[in-house]
Amino acid sequence: MATFSEAKLAEASPKLLFRQLFEKESSTYTYLLADVGHPDKPALLVDPVDSTVERDLKLVKELGLKVTYALNTHCHADHVTGTGLIKGKVPGVKSVISKASTAKADLHVEAGDKIFFGNLFLEVRATPGHTVGCVTYVTGDGPDQPQPRMAFTGDTLLIRGCGRTDFQGGSSQLLYKSVHSQIFTLPKDTFIYPAHDYKGFTVSTVGEETQFNPRLTKDEFAWTLFITDLNLPYPKKMDIAVPANLVCGLQDLVNNV
């Protein structure tokens, strides 16, 4: 288990600042978290999108934050990540993705790793199934960490839904196991923040999803029959997004070298 810490720990009590941001073309949520109780106000971005990097960094500047990490929950197929652009605009930012994703990044994380921003941290949980490299980032557990906890589930668990499992090393069996063993075992009041929503929802809880998610409340046999019969078209940007995201969203720069 590795611990990644960019900002030196201070005596000040941690205080979470949280913003949920939306990119409408791919219906992607980007999440901004910061420890504003720390003198440096260190922050991180989860699942940034290339087309909204300027908006996100403007907000960071307005709030007086210092971005230290740009994280991806997985190698996305429906949009190009903004991590590479952020690195180019903000010196010192480190990109983060799972080791299992095989994508390029400054830091490759695995289950049990902790990513600190000030005195707050995110715990890494391996949740493969949508892709082989999916992870869920969960806010820390402890008296000095924000409660209820928050889980950034990527495409593994959506609000009343889940991600597809038919490409990028996806597996219906693995996704079912990941959700039930790594997400549904969190406290019932844990907030669920997915990477996408297509119906206008913004947040759910573990308790809600264990009761009302129409896909993942099925038994495993019924689930497998359902998910293998979806016959969904591939994402429109897949041929552009996946190659770019394997190199931190900087495909054009790599090709022009």
Side-chain angles (χ1 to χ4, degrees), residues 102-121:
T102 71
K104 291 185 178 180
D106 296 310
L107 299 173
H108 290 101
V109 293
E110 299 178 282
D113 288 348
K114 293 180 179 180
I115 303 167
F116 274 84
F117 53 110
N119 293 306
L120 300 174
F121 68 90

Side-chain angles (χ1 to χ4, degrees), residues 135-166:
V135 295
T136 292
Y137 299 109
V138 185
T139 54
D141 188 19
D144 59 341
Q145 300 298 304
Q147 298 295 329
R149 298 179 75 183
M150 308 160 76
F152 301 93
T153 56
D155 288 21
T156 299
L157 178 64
L158 306 179
I159 298 172
R160 308 298 193 266
C162 65
R164 62 195 294 170
T165 63
D166 57 338

Side-chain angles (χ1 to χ4, degrees), residues 176-194:
Y176 190 90
K177 180 180 179 181
S178 293
V179 171
H180 282 266
S181 66
Q182 298 299 316
I183 301 174
F184 282 178
T185 53
L186 289 164
K188 297 297 184 185
D189 62 352
T190 301
F191 290 118
I192 298 295
Y193 288 104

